[in-house]
Amino acid sequence: MTLHVVPERKLIPTVLMRGGTSRGPFILERDLPADPASRDRVLIEMMGSPHPLQVNGIGGGDPLTSKVAIISPSTRPGIDVEYLFAQVGVTQAVVDTNPNCGNMLSAVGPFAIEAGLVQPGDAETTVRIFNRNTGKSIHAVVQTPGGAVTYDGSAEIDGVAGSAAPIKLTFLDATGSKTSGLFPTGERRETIDGIEVSLVDYAMPMMLVRAADVGLAGNETPDDLDARRDLFGRLEIMRREAGRRMGLGDVSNAVVPKIGILSEPRRADGTITSRYLVPHRTHKAHAVTGALCVAVAARTPGTIAFDLAAPGDGSGAVLVEHPSGKIGIDLETAEDGTVRRASLIRTARRIFEGNVILSGSAAETADAV
């Protein structure tokens, strides 16, 4: 009689959540390997990369659904929890923890409360979040009637069907998220490959380009843009030079800086139209961090965005139009024009909770640390 020994399976406790227009697993840091390289191998296994459908994991076959939020309690003064965002490649076995993701950030507050990391209030709860990717702080106001998180409400965001409870995100100091400042080169506009660009870093380092300067109207669909591989090839050459100028080094294998293709607003109440490249595909809606960067540029004289934007009314409100609709942003500025804080409304949903089962090799990686 042959005795077959079945090795113990490695389970990673996971909550799948939608945050804004993105989706991905939320995991407590204590449940992942401490070594970054081992952690990344586990995340790649979990998501099912590299594969265009991520059929062997829980990824959704798209950059917007191949994201991971890693959460931990914080010992920093004035901070409740820490959030590390990981962008997992879909067709590449890579993990990028350089950028923040403002959409996934929307679900950090609810997750932290329900994980027992933050004590809820009776009506609403402010969760003070430190983003490790950028070293910046964000406050998230979560609806907690009766001391429990609710996901039901009347707030609607473009790119997501239905309505949900509003989550107010306030970025306290997002200037220079990955570089030396708002304009890391010291210029508000400059030329790369014969095209005028603005290199801006507020919440997300971006290379902003006029749509007309690259032969576009600016309101093309994501599918139309993604079919223009010649355009992406030229923009990628420019993006790599932008990254060098912004002090980010060789960005050929990094997803920052992102690219914003800008044009005038189409809506009567719109401020500016943006197509956000992630950077090798077009976002179906718009990244929150990218919208913040575009909004700040639209209200800063001398930038390409400022020239294209509709004039402001002094309220600080900016409406960024994107392929799925719009994102409204409220900017609070000082007398010298410096942005003190930026706020916007997002929503989130807790989709399922359970364990991701790792294969033998990934389980050994997780157990080795």
Side-chain angles (χ1 to χ4, degrees):
M1 178 178 179
T2 302
L3 181 64
H4 295 283
V5 178
V6 179
E8 183 178 352
R9 297 181 302 178
K10 180 67 177 180
L11 308 179
I12 302 293
T14 302
V15 176
L16 186 69
M17 301 191 74
R18 174 185 63 79
T21 55
S22 295
R23 190 191 73 209
F26 279 64
I27 308 168
L28 292 173
E29 186 175 47
R30 69 186 183 215
D31 293 324
L32 289 169
D35 172 63
S38 299
R39 176 203 66 205
D40 290 352
R41 286 195 292 273
V42 168
L43 296 183
I44 289 168
E45 164 82 15
M46 288 178 63
M47 301 306 282
S49 301
H51 189 278
L53 298 179
Q54 293 178 312
V55 70
N56 208 34
I58 62 172
D62 188 279
L64 302 185
T65 54
S66 188
K67 300 182 175 187
V68 180
I70 302 169
I71 312 299
S72 62
S74 181
T75 58
R76 300 174 193 268
I79 297 294
D80 298 312
V81 296
E82 303 198 5
Y83 157 54
L84 178 68
F85 167 69
Q87 179 73 60
V88 181
V90 176
T91 58
Q92 294 178 303
V94 296
V95 177
D96 193 346
T97 57
N98 281 307
N100 180 15
C101 176
N103 275 303
M104 290 286 279
L105 173 66
S106 310
V108 171
F111 174 83
I113 294 170
E114 294 187 310
L117 303 181
V118 177
Q119 183 68 32
D122 289 333
E124 61 182 27
T125 305
T126 298
V127 180
R128 302 168 298 177
I129 303 165
F130 180 80
N131 176 236
R132 285 192 192 166
N133 306 80
T134 61
K136 305 294 184 179
S137 298
I138 306 99
H139 286 179
V141 179
V142 182
Q143 302 304 302
T144 53
V149 173
T150 182
Y151 295 95
D152 297 327
S154 58
E156 298 180 359
I157 62 172
D158 291 331
V160 178
S163 63
I167 299 171
K168 183 178 181 180
L169 299 178
T170 299
F171 291 72
L172 302 180
D173 178 18
T175 300
S177 66
K178 300 296 292 184
T179 68
S180 60
L182 184 62
F183 300 106
T185 69
E187 303 292 336
R188 299 194 178 192
R189 68 175 69 195
E190 53 203 278
T191 301
I192 298 179
D193 194 23
I195 295 177
E196 270 196 327
V197 301
S198 289
L199 306 181
V200 189
D201 183 5
Y202 186 88
M204 176 66 71
M206 291 189 68
M207 179 181 75
L208 305 179
V209 183
R210 292 188 197 90
D213 288 349
V214 290
L216 299 173
N219 61 349
E220 288 83 358
T221 68
D223 287 343
D224 287 341
L225 289 178
D226 288 349
R228 292 283 309 276
R229 301 322 297 176
D230 58 329
L231 173 64
F232 273 77
R234 182 180 186 186
L235 289 174
E236 175 61 15
I237 293 172
M238 295 173 61
R239 189 186 75 87
R240 293 183 186 186
E241 173 60 16
R244 186 193 67 78
R245 294 187 190 185
M246 297 174 85
L248 297 170
D250 180 4
V251 299
S252 56
N253 292 314
V255 298
V256 293
K258 306 288 192 183
I259 302 170
I261 301 176
L262 308 181
S263 59
E264 68 282 353
R266 270 69 179 182
R267 300 166 51 101
D269 59 346
T271 303
I272 194 166
T273 300
S274 177
R275 294 296 182 263
Y276 185 79
L277 277 53
V278 293
H280 306 300
R281 293 173 69 177
T282 309
H283 201 297
K284 303 297 184 184
H286 208 291
V288 165
T289 48
L292 292 172
C293 186
V294 170
V296 169
R299 290 292 177 250
T300 305
T303 68
I304 288 170
F306 184 84
D307 292 348
L308 295 168
D313 59 6
S315 67
V318 176
L319 196 75
V320 178
E321 300 178 42
H322 57 73
S324 296
K326 63 189 184 303
I327 296 180
I329 296 166
D330 291 321
L331 301 179
E332 180 184 323
T333 57
E335 291 184 1
D336 63 358
T338 302
V339 179
R340 287 175 172 162
R341 60 185 63 205
S343 301
L344 72 163
I345 298 296
R346 297 274 87 186
T347 64
R349 181 190 172 204
R350 191 179 181 98
I351 299 173
F352 75 71
E353 55 192 61
N355 298 299
V356 174
I357 304 169
L358 300 183
S359 68
S361 59
E364 292 174 3
T365 296
D367 286 332
V369 180

